[in-house]
Amino acid sequence: MHNRRVSTFTRQLQELRASLPPEAPDPLIDPPPEAFLHLWECARASGIEVSTLLVVRQPLDVRAAGAYSIEEHDIWVWYAPDIPEEQALRTLLHELAHAQCPPTLPYASFEEEWAEERATWQRAITLARDWGREHLFSKVCVEDIFDEVEACLQQRLATSAILGSRDMERTECALKQLWCEATARGWSGELLHDVLTGDKTHPAFLGEVLTFDRCALHPCWEIMHEPEDDPDPDALFGPLSRLGESTLLASAVEMLQRTLASCAHQEEALRTRLAMRSWQAVTLGTMSYERSRQVVQDEASLQEALALVNQLCFEAHGYALRMHWQCFDELFSKQEQLTHPARLYCLHLFYTPWKEVLSDISPWIDPEILPDCQKRRPRAVWFLFPRGVDTTLLEASWQLFLLSWTRCAEISYEGSLSTPVNPLQDRREAQRAPSPEDSKGGNENTMGGTA
């Protein structure tokens, strides 16, 4: 006897049920209301291949009102007391239009995806007319629908530019994270849309968007972020990024936005160039790691530094990451009168295969379904802002970017470290790369601790 595999939507429904208190009503409306069953039967009579209809009181996916499964031909639709029945029926017609002409996945671009969405709504309007439900799509309603399709496209293109990548799946995850953070701040959907698409360009709003939690886009970290563990914002790593309404902050926000958009536009070229980066193998005692360096002295080198951090974190497939940031101030000179001292930032990344982490955190996970990843050396990247050059604006932009990566990081800040020795060459114990055991221990210079 073979057990039928649980469908995707059924599994999501089971997870939703498990998350609700015992006294909550069942999220599934069974049987579906008559108007929904009528359209379902019309679809079957028209030869549209459909399997199971789920009408639910709560959505099975964040920021979605319904969905169609290409593989299983199931459809779910969200219908709650505060949602007009006409709106939910339009969603059902839209999903039936998908079932009538399933898209070819994956899409090549967001433009292609949302052109398909527009065409799907056109088919839904035709189905409504053919089945005697043309009243569901008034002229004003149709205009609103197509305005929303265009808004969705523009939000994704803008999110891609803020992310610094054209990867569609990663951009969707970033947009969901932005919506979550906007909701937590009490922003309306209209405000987030305006900030994303440039209709509202106040640097304070745009800065919040640019510094969204990028850690959420990597699936597994060894240090989990808990809101109650947030460090004091005034002591947070990166004082140049905490400049209130200053002109410098506004300029830094503009530069970071421009540089990330350029990263997205030149993603393939940057990936190819960074793949050729030389990594020096270093052994200190029992610790072996690979290190590289990046001098940040203009906007092009800043762009490459941003792309490098993104690439190291986003593309660590199958590994849990541990991140450690350090900043050293006023390097290479004891002359207090030096106008522009050098500053050095160090990123250390430790890679642990998921099998070693998830099997401990969630013993029920079958190790066989996890990627088979080999042991990897930690990596250390030194980002140097050279002395004698005014890199204040570059560094403020850089610190804004780093705020996105400190949610799952350990951080330390050497406030006025003055040394004639170049740490890029130094192999003393005091300057060695930290081991995972080191990063778990205390450090008198740590100002944010574990986040």
Side-chain angles (χ1 to χ4, degrees):
M1 178 177 178
H2 297 284
N3 293 325
R4 183 177 181 270
R5 183 175 68 87
V6 176
S7 70
T8 302
F9 297 158
T10 300
R11 175 178 51 78
Q12 290 178 319
L13 177 62
Q14 291 172 346
E15 292 172 354
L16 176 59
R17 281 173 171 153
S19 69
L20 297 175
E23 65 275 11
D26 188 78
L28 179 66
I29 300 175
D30 187 24
E34 183 61 33
F36 293 81
L37 290 175
H38 173 75
L39 292 179
W40 193 253
E41 292 306 319
C42 287
R44 284 182 162 168
S46 300
I48 298 175
E49 185 177 4
V50 288
S51 180
T52 302
L53 171 64
L54 302 174
V55 180
V56 291
R57 294 183 175 89
Q58 296 185 42
L60 301 185
D61 192 11
V62 178
R63 293 196 53 74
Y68 163 69
S69 171
I70 296 176
E71 297 80 11
E72 296 149 341
H73 312 295
D74 295 342
I75 288 175
W76 70 263
V77 176
W78 177 28
Y79 178 40
D82 57 341
I83 297 176
E85 184 180 73
E86 292 80 5
Q87 180 178 327
L89 290 174
R90 283 193 291 270
T91 300
L92 176 56
L93 283 163
H94 176 262
E95 303 309 331
L96 289 171
H98 271 309
Q100 181 187 42
C101 187
T104 301
L105 301 179
Y107 296 110
S109 65
F110 282 121
E111 289 86 351
E112 179 183 304
E113 178 183 5
W114 290 93
E116 166 62 25
E117 277 295 290
R118 187 180 183 88
T120 300
W121 276 114
Q122 292 283 14
R123 292 195 300 274
I125 294 169
T126 300
L127 291 177
R129 185 180 63 245
D130 292 346
W131 299 338
R133 294 292 185 271
E134 58 270 11
H135 66 279
L136 294 174
F137 291 98
S138 66
K139 181 178 179 181
V140 173
C141 176
V142 170
E143 290 175 352
D144 289 343
I145 286 172
F146 290 140
D147 285 346
E148 179 66 18
V149 168
E150 180 61 24
C152 288
L153 170 60
Q154 295 307 317
Q155 288 171 13
R156 282 152 181 81
L157 295 177
T159 301
S160 173
I162 288 169
L163 177 62
S165 171
R166 289 189 172 183
D167 183 279
M168 294 180 65
E169 182 177 355
R170 194 173 297 140
T171 299
E172 288 289 351
C173 291
L175 183 56
K176 286 185 178 181
Q177 181 62 25
L178 285 166
W179 277 106
C180 288
E181 294 184 20
T183 300
R185 293 189 192 101
W187 289 14
S188 66
E190 291 77 11
L191 176 56
L192 178 60
H193 174 82
D194 289 346
V195 175
L196 283 173
T197 58
D199 290 336
K200 191 172 187 64
T201 57
H202 192 287
F205 289 111
L206 187 55
E208 293 284 358
V209 167
L210 288 169
T211 58
F212 80 98
D213 186 1
R214 295 169 195 268
C215 292
L217 307 185
H218 183 74
C220 185
W221 295 83
E222 286 196 71
I223 298 179
M224 302 303 294
H225 170 60
E226 296 293 341
E228 59 269 21
D229 293 334
D230 281 346
D232 179 356
D234 293 331
L236 190 61
F237 189 59
L240 286 175
S241 66
R242 298 289 184 178
L243 299 176
E245 301 294 323
S246 71
T247 302
L248 175 59
L249 181 59
S251 299
V253 165
E254 180 183 350
M255 175 177 282
L256 180 58
Q257 182 186 34
R258 181 173 65 246
T259 307
L260 286 169
S262 185
C263 284
H265 181 67
Q266 302 181 48
E267 186 173 20
E268 289 304 319
L270 284 167
R271 181 180 286 113
T272 300
R273 187 157 72 248
L274 292 173
M276 299 170 63
R277 172 179 290 270
S278 60
W279 293 87
Q280 177 188 3
V282 177
T283 301
L284 295 174
T286 59
M287 180 72 175
S288 294
Y289 67 101
E290 298 175 352
R291 73 178 178 187
S292 185
R293 63 190 66 178
Q294 176 77 30
V295 178
V296 184
Q297 56 191 349
D298 53 29
E299 202 164 325
S301 55
L302 174 66
Q303 178 194 48
E304 190 163 298
L306 304 184
L308 177 59
V309 176
N310 276 347
Q311 179 172 302
L312 288 173
C313 297
F314 290 154
E315 299 184 5
H317 302 300
Y319 292 93
L321 290 180
R322 179 183 290 273
M323 175 186 281
H324 182 80
W325 281 104
Q326 288 175 287
C327 176
F328 300 94
D329 195 6
E330 299 179 16
L331 289 172
F332 318 140
S333 174
K334 293 183 178 179
Q335 302 176 16
E336 294 182 2
Q337 68 272 24
L338 187 64
T339 305
H340 301 297
R343 239 186 297 270
L344 180 71
Y345 294 79
C346 302
L347 164 64
H348 293 94
L349 280 176
F350 303 94
Y351 303 86
T352 305
W354 284 355
K355 286 186 177 181
E356 297 182 19
V357 177
L358 296 182
S359 59
D360 292 334
I361 298 175
S362 303
W364 54 268
I365 291 180
D366 182 0
E368 296 301 320
I369 69 174
L370 298 175
D372 188 14
C373 298
Q374 302 301 313
K375 290 279 190 180
R376 282 184 63 176
R377 288 178 174 147
R379 281 192 160 177
V381 188
W382 308 79
F383 299 94
L384 174 66
F385 290 78
R387 68 177 181 177
V389 180
D390 185 2
T391 59
T392 306
L393 179 57
L394 290 169
E395 195 172 359
S397 302
W398 171 248
Q399 288 187 5
L400 277 171
F401 177 70
L402 295 194
L403 291 182
S404 285
W405 287 111
T406 56
R407 309 305 203 285
C408 291
E410 290 182 294
I411 57 179
S412 58
Y413 185 74
E414 306 291 346
S416 291
L417 178 65
S418 179
T419 172
V421 180
N422 185 340
L424 297 178
Q425 304 293 335
D426 190 14
R427 295 193 178 188
R428 295 176 301 164
E429 181 68 14
Q431 293 286 347
R432 70 184 178 85
S435 68
E437 289 71 26
D438 294 331
S439 61
K440 292 176 184 176
N443 184 334
E444 65 182 26
N445 293 313
T446 297
M447 299 187 65
T450 300

